[in-house]
Amino acid sequence: MGKLAEYLKKLIKEHIKDKGIVLWFDPEQHYRDVFDAIDIKKEQKFFFDGSYFELRYKLDFFLENTDLPELLIYVHEDKNKTDNALIEIEKAGCVLYPGHQLITQNTRLEVVAREALKDILPEVDTICQQIACGSLTFKDVEKIVKEHTGAASGAIKLVFDTIDPVEIIFNFMTVPDLDKDIISKKLMPELKSLFDSSIGYFLYEQASPEETRENIKYYIIMGDFLEIFSPDEIPHELLHLKRPEDELHRKNISHIINRWRNDIKNKDSYIKASMDTEQKFKIKNF
């Protein structure tokens, strides 16, 4: 369980302690694993399996025989599409669903991420924007947070003024003036780890920042280019190239190259790198 899951588990336990009954609507099913991981007694947890009548039947025993039952009810449906089938349960306890007017009961993923990460991740706004546009899932965010807190920290933040791997890689590619600080603070080993965990680029050799920058540009441009082919359609001449297989690596590459293309300040840099890559790998032949 990552930071988002920890936040939700703590929040829900507090709601159970305060209200007794927690009715949790999760139409996008982001939090199914979190529900399973919440440590209350098995007989206090109820999972909607398609029948509101059956669920109500199971709950009635507790409602009729316990003054303040402690129950957690998980429903993987949109609250607004239930025809108030659980209205008595809603009135009796605390209701969680995406879009609730109270932040502590609003389980929209970007809201949960902002609350869970606001004191952990300086770049939480960027993460929330990517969630809102559908680029990141719950598992993606948990993985990103784990890599943020492990891969990019300390001296890297001093040089790049961020711990967001996408920002770090973009700045590494486009701001060669940082090389002096990278060398003086001996950051290449840490950057090497970050490149590997964030975009799947692994450095075997002890390359200089300048050499690494050029190779990463080739890697990112070709990684984006290869996305137009299915795995079995890749031209034979390009099969030797490493293609990012991890979904997070591919998303990060997509974010980096889209920003590079659309960044006015670095437009010429992108055009030159694209032309160099086209020539190097003879892309016109495909």
Side-chain angles (χ1 to χ4, degrees):
M1 292 288 108
K3 296 298 183 182
L4 270 63
E6 290 175 7
Y7 167 80
L8 282 168
K9 287 169 65 178
K10 181 180 178 182
L11 182 68
I12 289 168
K13 292 292 288 289
E14 290 174 353
H15 282 315
I16 291 174
K17 183 178 180 181
D18 183 40
K19 295 290 186 179
I21 299 173
V22 172
L23 177 57
W24 188 1
F25 291 96
D26 181 22
E28 295 179 307
Q29 300 186 51
H30 288 307
Y31 312 117
R32 179 68 174 86
D33 291 342
V34 180
F35 168 76
D36 290 337
I38 293 175
D39 54 342
I40 62 173
K41 293 179 181 178
K42 184 178 179 180
E43 57 267 26
Q44 294 175 274
K45 298 170 72 173
F46 294 85
F47 178 80
F48 171 69
D49 60 5
S51 171
Y52 289 111
F53 290 108
E54 183 177 352
L55 180 59
R56 279 301 309 269
Y57 176 78
K58 293 177 180 178
L59 294 171
D60 281 345
F61 172 82
F62 290 91
L63 298 176
E64 293 172 359
N65 296 281
T66 310
D67 292 334
L68 185 62
E70 292 190 346
L71 307 175
L72 174 60
I73 305 137
Y74 177 90
V75 179
H76 50 88
E77 298 286 346
D78 188 329
K79 176 182 177 296
N80 295 322
K81 297 180 180 179
T82 63
D83 293 325
N84 294 320
L86 300 173
I87 190 65
E88 293 89 354
I89 309 298
E90 294 182 34
K91 298 296 184 183
C94 172
V95 185
L96 308 181
Y97 61 87
H100 197 293
Q101 61 182 358
L102 297 178
I103 289 179
T104 57
Q105 292 173 236
N106 186 345
T107 56
R108 198 178 302 284
L109 182 53
E110 58 263 37
V111 174
V112 171
R114 188 177 302 280
E115 290 302 300
L117 306 178
K118 62 185 178 183
D119 296 325
I120 300 172
L121 205 62
E123 286 72 26
V124 68
D125 287 342
T126 301
I127 297 295
C128 291
Q129 288 169 9
Q130 293 173 359
I131 293 171
C133 71
S135 297
L136 297 176
T137 66
F138 177 87
K139 290 182 178 180
D140 289 337
V141 177
E142 291 283 53
K143 187 172 183 179
I144 288 170
V145 175
K146 182 179 179 181
E147 290 172 353
H148 269 66
T149 55
S153 58
I156 280 188
K157 188 176 188 306
L158 289 176
V159 173
F160 290 90
D161 195 31
T162 180
I163 57 172
D164 181 349
V166 169
E167 286 293 307
I168 290 169
I169 295 168
F170 179 76
N171 289 333
F172 176 80
M173 289 167 48
T174 58
V175 188
D177 290 349
L178 295 174
D179 287 1
K180 182 178 179 181
D181 289 332
I182 290 172
I183 294 169
S184 67
K185 295 186 180 300
K186 301 177 180 178
L187 292 183
M188 282 308 295
E190 192 173 351
L191 285 171
K192 174 181 176 179
S193 175
L194 184 142
F195 298 148
D196 185 23
S197 65
S198 301
I199 59 174
Y201 178 81
F202 185 77
L203 278 168
Y204 291 96
E205 71 285 351
Q206 296 296 320
S208 68
E210 184 177 4
E211 293 169 323
T212 302
R213 178 176 301 107
E214 294 309 305
N215 288 330
I216 281 184
K217 287 179 180 179
Y218 289 140
Y219 175 79
I220 286 177
I221 291 171
M222 288 305 296
D224 180 68
F225 174 69
L226 290 174
E227 283 295 300
I228 68 175
F229 301 102
S230 65
D232 57 349
E233 292 177 336
I234 297 176
H236 178 76
E237 296 86 347
L238 301 179
L239 286 175
H240 68 286
L241 297 177
K242 186 179 186 311
R243 179 181 185 178
E245 298 294 338
D246 188 283
E247 184 64 22
L248 177 62
H249 296 167
R250 293 162 69 181
K251 285 182 178 179
N252 283 343
I253 286 173
S254 178
H255 288 312
I256 292 167
I257 202 158
N258 285 333
R259 178 169 174 190
W260 197 11
R261 285 189 184 117
N262 297 309
D263 190 275
I264 295 175
K265 182 179 178 181
N266 291 290
K267 183 177 180 180
D268 291 343
S269 166
Y270 171 74
I271 292 173
K272 182 181 185 306
S274 296
M275 293 176 66
D276 290 345
T277 304
E278 181 179 300
Q279 195 169 31
K280 180 179 177 67
F281 295 101
K282 299 179 174 58
I283 292 176
K284 283 186 176 181
N285 295 339
F286 308 114

